[in-house]
Amino acid sequence: MGAIVYGHFTDEPDLLKAVKELQNKGIRIADVRTPFPVHGLDKVLKYRRSHLPKVAFIAGVLGAALMFYFQYWVFTQGWPLNFGGKPYFSVLSFIPGTFEITVLFAAFAMGIAFLVRSNLGPGSIPDILDEEVTDDHFQIILSEKENHLSETELSEILSATGALDVKRVNAEI
């Protein structure tokens, strides 16, 4: 089990500046936690684009195809009814139901994929280092194991970037 060093910041610009400074010094950042999304942080940390839009598209297409086939089967094979001389296979009348199920499948798939990917499902144990970060503080987390530096060196480097409070804990991230 390695040591974790983390520092608190109160402003977004200070956080972004500190992340850039740490990266310029060759320090690997284990995680950055914020109480709300910070514009530009994903680009600075070089995160890849999310796969959630692909999941939503695939689930939406699957939902649309299933609903369209279901309506086709019901109105032409399972329970064909003659509504005022209209054809049994009326594509335009299938559109509202197909649209609703498309949106429903996409929304549920994105929600489930997000929970699975973020490990936030039932039974997951959160790794909260400090309760203040959920209030109004930003947090940069550095790992001793990833950086091959001592706790003291990481603490000094993090303090030099302008962190208000630097703490150390023995944990795994």
Side-chain angles (χ1 to χ4, degrees):
M1 183 169 302
I4 299 294
V5 177
Y6 59 95
H8 289 198
F9 296 85
T10 55
D11 282 337
E12 296 172 53
D14 295 340
L15 175 79
L16 289 171
K17 182 180 163 212
V19 167
K20 289 175 187 174
E21 284 180 28
L22 289 169
Q23 287 177 337
N24 289 340
K25 292 178 182 178
I27 303 295
R28 290 187 184 157
I29 298 170
D31 200 5
V32 176
R33 296 181 180 170
T34 63
F36 53 84
V38 176
H39 181 70
L41 185 61
D42 54 341
K43 287 182 177 60
V44 172
L45 291 172
K46 298 178 182 93
Y47 284 158
R48 292 188 327 248
R49 187 167 161 82
S50 173
H51 294 290
L52 281 179
K54 295 174 192 170
V55 170
F57 178 75
I58 291 168
V61 168
L62 178 67
L66 287 174
M67 186 61 179
F68 193 84
Y69 176 74
F70 175 72
Q71 290 178 97
Y72 164 76
W73 177 81
V74 166
F75 291 117
T76 61
Q77 319 251 321
W79 196 263
L81 295 173
N82 189 348
F83 291 105
K86 294 179 184 173
Y88 294 125
F89 184 62
S90 177
V91 175
L92 291 178
S93 66
F94 297 171
I95 289 175
T98 302
F99 174 76
E100 293 297 328
I101 294 298
T102 299
V103 172
L104 183 72
F105 269 57
F108 273 106
M110 281 195 319
I112 292 168
F114 175 75
L115 291 175
V116 167
R117 175 65 180 97
S118 301
N119 195 20
L120 293 173
S124 67
I125 300 170
D127 58 342
I128 299 172
L129 297 176
D130 198 339
E131 295 290 332
E132 288 181 356
V133 78
T134 59
D135 255 350
D136 59 351
H137 286 92
F138 302 90
Q139 191 176 61
I140 294 179
I141 303 170
L142 305 176
S143 171
E144 181 184 31
K145 187 167 48 172
E146 282 184 16
N147 289 299
H148 306 295
L149 295 170
S150 70
E151 288 180 48
T152 311
E153 291 172 322
L154 286 175
S155 297
E156 289 170 2
I157 291 171
L158 201 51
S159 294
T161 62
L164 299 177
D165 187 19
V166 178
K167 297 180 183 177
R168 296 176 241 177
V169 67
N170 287 332
E172 230 10 83
I173 235 178

